Amino acid sequence: MDYRLNFDAVWRSFDLLLSGLALGLGLAIVSIFIGSLIGLIAAFAMLSKNKLWRGIAVAYVTAIRNTPILVLIFFTFFALPQLGVRLGKIESFVFTLTIYSGAYLTEVFRGGLIAIPPGLREAGLAVGLTEWGAQRWVIIPVMIRNVLPALSNNFISLFKDTSLAAAIAVPELTFYARQINVNSFRVIESWTVASLMYVFACYIIAAGLRLVERKLAIP
Amino acid sequence: MDVAQFLHEFWIARGAIWDGFQMTVAISALSIFFGTLLGLFVGLALVYAWLPVRFVVRIYVDFIRGTPVFVLVLASFYILSVIGIQLTAFQAGILAITAFCSTHVGEMVRGALAAIPRGQSEAAMAIGLTFRQTFQSVLMPQALRQILPTWVNAATEMVKASTLLSVIGVAELLLATQQVISRNFLSLEFYFLAGFIYFLIDFSIERLGRFVEKKLAYC
Amino acid sequence: MMSEPLLFIENLHKSFGKLEVLKGVDLTMNASDVVSIIGSSGSGKTTMLRCVNLLEEFHEGRILIDGEEIGYTLKNGKRQRLPKAQIARHRALTGMVFQTFNLFPHLTALKNVTLGLIKVRKMKKDEAAEVARHWLSRVGLLDRQDHYPGQLSGGQQQRVAIARAIAMNPKLMLFDEVTSALDPELVNEVLNVIKDLASDGMTMLIVTHEMRFAFDVSTKVIFMNEGRIGEQGPPAELFNNPKSKRLAEFIQNSTF
């Protein structure tokens, strides 16, 4: 084996790697926000008395959670155009990641809603709030605070899943790492640096989210 | 969608898809097997090992878990060859997913052992069992029982992760499907088919997990 | 001229599936009345209170507050539950205090009180806070206004819950076994707050197991038995000369 470490090529492209990291973070943030909305709606649908809503929500969650995300990514990007739905790489990926995170967040929110004692809703109603008001001002805020740790974990895995965007040539961190690897043959350097960037980013995100959790936790 | 055409193309492609399916099963099974084996040691090391060893293993776990599996697969594929380890794409991919699996299992084992009340080992020591005996007949049986349902569900993660090997050219189910699509252009139908097969595999594993959980809950 | 009764309940029926819990209850309360409902568990006391707050649907009978029928209306001769917004408005005519406090855990004591004032009564924030502080000081917790429920004792939480209910300026306060979940040493601080409100002339309907308290505070006591009103009357009469055997037994088995 005759391989000398040389990080020059990596440092020269470090800006690209950083921009890739930022794009990945952005993709994850957009997806978790829209995904939360979907998850919240689907969670209420799952708990509703209406069989049709419940059926749709269960089908959505079961189908998405049991399908590999790479298949979903390819499906959206390569197969949906056959139905006339033509999205750009980034839009296509965000769409997939949103639908994907929505399914996982549905489970999180559903669990959170079930765990809220019924007396809380009644207390909301008793002060004259409407059904929607009790959900909006009491149940949902309490539930969100309770599931924050699960939300954080979800966000971190979504962030890691953004690496898959490279498979459809979205220029995020993994994409650039591979590019450096192929162009400069600095194989070990590019992958080590990319991995470390993911690891540190995860650490920092996790630490940041812990702070948020602590700040928002119900005393 | 033309059903007759799809069935016709499916008949032509059945062999390729079947091969891909077998490859997927092989990748998943091997990764789960080796990953679990390694993971048991990782878990034990995280709880019982000499502090410096524990520290090293902790870094291994955090590093692997902080890196997206996709990056692990790519890094394993590209790096090993330049440092003189000649592995096929198939082997390199399995190595990456094994590492991924081992950290999952390791954390499970650590969590399960940590969850056993201290009184259990104290009681075992009190009736004169050695550490080894305590571990074998008191701690491990309890930990395994707790791990089993989670472990079965982690298997679905490995099946999903096996799709990542398509990117490094291993003709598992996803790549086999893509190759079929490149011949017949029925992307919608065949991506859907692939998704459905993955769904069936993962859904069955998930059901198995619930079954095991129920069985264990009774005793 | 006779004034309208503040609460008028007529022939109230309520079932849970096949189990009939209320089998025709009639009750009239005038303003400033304090009525305590006693009876063994399962006698329908709590269910009746929850019907008045419209937390339970009921299948027969009418409830009128200040002359207005709440919860239901007749449409083409058919009895119908009112739309949700109406229900919410009717519900706000009464203030409910629960056995398990049910404070909103994510809000401070002050915000627990102001939530309804702002969202339902549409008050400005400052105005709501002023009202809330007034009532928090009435229940002796002004210094705890910025504490979260998790930082308060059970008795303190229940007093905040009382302030939350009464700040909405209800015509009638409903108390559902409000001391049952409390440690014994915390019971009195809550009962004293209720007595204090009674002396203000607040109209109150109280479900309770505290016989001494019911005796002291009530203008009338009702004994519920198997979904019906078994006996009712002024506390002294009811406790000292029970007419039915069931009530006599119940009083004998209760601690004062």
Side-chain angles (χ1 to χ4, degrees):
Chain A
M1 174 188 136
D2 188 22
Y3 189 97
R4 292 230 178 90
L5 289 179
N6 178 352
F7 284 91
D8 287 351
V10 177
W11 296 146
R12 252 182 278 123
S13 306
F14 197 65
D15 284 353
L16 286 179
L17 291 174
L18 271 181
S19 75
L21 183 75
L23 178 63
L25 260 178
L27 297 173
I29 290 173
V30 173
S31 302
I32 201 159
F33 267 102
I34 312 176
S36 294
L37 228 57
I38 297 176
L40 204 53
I41 293 168
F44 276 111
M46 263 193 166
L47 297 173
S48 88
K49 286 181 196 133
N50 185 317
K51 268 194 181 160
L52 179 69
W53 291 128
R54 222 165 50 210
I56 293 173
V58 170
Y60 161 59
V61 171
T62 319
I64 299 296
R65 282 172 57 108
N66 286 302
T67 311
I69 181 167
L70 194 57
V71 175
L72 298 174
I73 292 167
F74 287 156
F75 185 84
T76 315
F77 190 63
F78 294 118
L80 281 190
Q82 204 179 315
L83 291 175
V85 184
R86 228 168 276 277
L87 296 173
K89 294 183 291 212
I90 291 186
E91 292 83 351
S92 167
F93 182 77
V94 167
F95 177 81
T96 312
L97 202 60
T98 301
I99 298 289
Y100 182 75
S101 73
Y104 284 82
L105 294 175
T106 303
E107 284 291 298
V108 171
F109 291 145
R110 191 181 68 96
L113 288 173
I114 290 175
I116 303 267
L120 221 49
R121 175 181 151 267
E122 293 184 346
L125 296 178
V127 295
L129 294 172
T130 56
E131 189 67 50
W132 162 241
Q135 299 292 344
R136 166 70 186 79
W137 301 109
V138 181
I139 307 291
I140 295 178
V142 174
M143 182 275 283
I144 296 276
R145 282 173 171 81
N146 288 346
V147 302
L148 270 183
L151 276 183
S152 302
N153 289 340
N154 255 280
F155 179 74
I156 289 172
S157 44
L158 271 191
F159 168 62
K160 285 189 282 176
D161 287 334
T162 60
S163 64
L164 293 164
I168 55 172
V170 172
E172 48 65 71
L173 179 51
T174 306
F175 176 86
Y176 284 125
R178 200 175 181 190
Q179 199 176 55
I180 297 168
N181 170 14
V182 173
N183 293 343
S184 68
F185 298 104
R186 303 322 306 175
V187 181
I188 298 180
E189 296 85 338
S190 59
W191 292 112
T192 311
V193 171
S195 297
L196 284 175
M197 286 173 79
Y198 275 113
V199 172
F200 279 120
C202 286
Y203 262 121
I204 292 169
I205 297 169
L209 291 175
R210 293 287 167 273
L211 276 182
V212 175
E213 279 165 33
R214 218 170 300 155
K215 214 170 156 59
L216 290 179
I218 296 169
Chain B
M1 186 160 84
D2 186 340
V3 177
Q5 189 197 357
F6 168 67
L7 289 177
H8 175 70
E9 292 295 342
F10 175 69
W11 189 248
I12 296 173
R14 68 188 191 284
I17 289 177
W18 174 244
D19 289 346
F21 172 79
Q22 286 180 310
M23 189 60 110
T24 288
V25 172
I27 296 165
S28 311
L30 287 169
S31 308
I32 292 166
F33 176 75
F34 291 118
T36 303
L37 215 61
L38 183 57
L40 287 174
F41 287 107
V42 167
L44 291 179
L46 284 175
V47 181
Y48 296 117
W50 183 48
L51 200 66
V53 175
R54 208 187 304 173
F55 183 71
V56 171
V57 175
R58 175 44 66 194
I59 289 179
Y60 163 77
V61 170
D62 282 6
F63 186 80
I64 299 288
R65 282 171 70 99
T67 308
V69 203
F70 189 39
V71 173
L72 292 179
V73 170
L74 293 174
S76 164
F77 176 65
Y78 288 118
I79 290 181
L80 292 176
S81 60
V82 300
I83 59 172
I85 302 173
Q86 294 302 327
L87 291 185
T88 61
F90 175 72
Q91 292 162 331
I94 286 182
L95 184 68
I97 297 181
T98 297
F100 172 60
C101 183
S102 74
T103 60
H104 265 261
V105 174
E107 283 290 359
M108 271 180 231
V109 172
R110 188 197 58 76
L113 286 173
I116 299 173
R118 182 172 273 279
Q120 289 291 310
S121 47
E122 285 173 354
M125 303 285 187
I127 57 169
L129 297 181
T130 64
F131 175 74
R132 177 182 278 267
Q133 289 166 327
T134 302
F135 182 76
Q136 278 178 353
S137 44
V138 179
L139 301 180
M140 209 53 191
Q142 294 187 43
L144 280 182
R145 176 165 297 183
Q146 205 200 325
I147 291 167
L148 206 52
T150 339
W151 179 78
V152 174
N153 283 328
T156 66
E157 294 304 314
M158 302 313 137
V159 174
K160 290 182 210 167
S162 72
T163 57
L164 303 175
L165 272 63
S166 68
V167 180
I168 55 171
V170 177
E172 42 64 77
L173 180 56
L174 181 55
L175 183 57
T177 304
Q178 288 174 314
Q179 287 164 346
V180 168
I181 291 171
S182 68
R183 284 195 299 270
N184 62 28
F185 300 107
L186 295 177
S187 57
L188 191 67
E189 292 83 346
F190 278 89
Y191 272 122
F192 197 85
L193 176 70
F196 186 66
I197 296 174
Y198 281 112
F199 173 82
L200 287 182
I201 302 174
D202 284 334
F203 191 69
S204 322
I205 298 177
E206 197 200 306
R207 288 279 130 176
L208 178 71
R210 283 203 198 157
F211 175 74
V212 169
E213 198 170 1
K214 238 182 226 162
K215 276 270 155 187
L216 286 178
Y218 288 143
C219 32
Chain C
M1 190 183 110
M2 272 283 287
S3 66
E4 202 78 70
L6 190 107
L7 173 69
F8 179 75
I9 302 178
E10 184 184 55
N11 194 29
L12 183 64
H13 281 262
K14 162 78 187 169
S15 307
F16 290 104
K18 279 191 178 154
L19 181 72
E20 194 173 25
V21 184
L22 296 177
K23 302 171 183 168
V25 174
D26 300 291
L27 174 69
T28 306
M29 277 177 78
N30 292 315
S32 297
D33 278 356
V34 175
V35 174
S36 293
I37 309 174
I38 59 171
S40 51
S41 47
S43 61
K45 314 177 298 268
T46 291
T47 307
M48 182 178 128
L49 210 64
R50 289 169 61 87
C51 285
V52 176
N53 199 231
L54 298 174
L55 287 173
E56 300 289 352
E57 298 186 15
F58 48 94
H59 311 106
E60 220 184 307
R62 300 192 305 153
I63 300 177
L64 277 69
I65 292 177
D66 236 1
E68 184 181 6
E69 176 162 4
I70 60 165
Y72 295 85
T73 183
L74 281 180
K75 202 171 179 184
N76 305 328
K78 271 180 84 180
R79 184 169 175 275
Q80 267 188 350
R81 195 163 163 94
L82 289 168
K84 282 178 179 169
Q86 277 282 71
I87 295 273
R89 194 180 68 76
H90 283 160
R91 201 174 264 138
L93 295 171
T94 58
M96 177 94 166
V97 184
F98 299 86
Q99 182 178 344
T100 49
F101 333 138
N102 296 346
L103 286 185
F104 308 132
H106 63 306
L107 301 176
T108 60
L110 185 79
K111 294 216 163 130
N112 259 278
V113 183
T114 57
L115 182 71
L117 297 173
I118 294 170
K119 301 298 170 198
V120 180
R121 294 273 184 259
K122 311 289 179 201
M123 280 187 192
K124 294 241 163 51
K125 271 190 183 168
D126 309 349
E127 194 189 346
E130 207 166 305
V131 174
R133 284 201 197 92
H134 167 73
W135 286 109
L136 283 175
S137 96
R138 274 299 297 274
V139 301
L141 288 173
L142 191 56
D143 56 332
R144 298 292 154 92
Q145 56 173 316
D146 293 326
H147 285 54
Y148 285 87
Q151 300 164 324
L152 298 172
S153 73
Q156 291 171 332
Q157 289 191 51
Q158 195 59 297
R159 281 147 67 197
V160 174
I162 292 172
R164 175 176 71 180
I166 202 164
M168 297 294 290
N169 195 21
K171 292 177 189 286
L172 169 68
M173 283 287 287
L174 307 168
F175 294 89
D176 183 15
E177 298 187 24
V178 292
T179 56
S180 297
L182 292 176
D183 292 333
E185 70 272 19
L186 301 176
V187 167
N188 276 329
E189 61 181 82
V190 173
L191 296 184
N192 287 336
V193 164
I194 300 175
K195 280 181 191 166
D196 182 40
L197 295 174
S199 64
D200 265 14
M202 186 76 220
T203 318
M204 306 200 274
L205 186 56
I206 302 169
V207 170
T208 187
H209 288 300
E210 302 282 338
M211 296 305 151
R212 181 78 237 172
F213 167 69
F215 187 90
D216 288 345
V217 78
S218 316
T219 52
K220 181 159 87 173
V221 175
I222 285 176
F223 172 61
M224 291 273 294
N225 186 28
E226 292 176 351
R228 291 193 176 84
I229 291 185
E231 242 176 90
Q232 53 182 313
E237 192 180 301
L238 205 84
F239 283 115
N240 296 331
N241 301 305
K243 291 192 191 74
S244 64
K245 208 176 140 219
R246 294 301 296 264
L247 177 57
E249 277 173 7
F250 178 76
I251 292 172
Q252 207 158 38
N253 293 331
S254 308
T255 47
F256 271 78

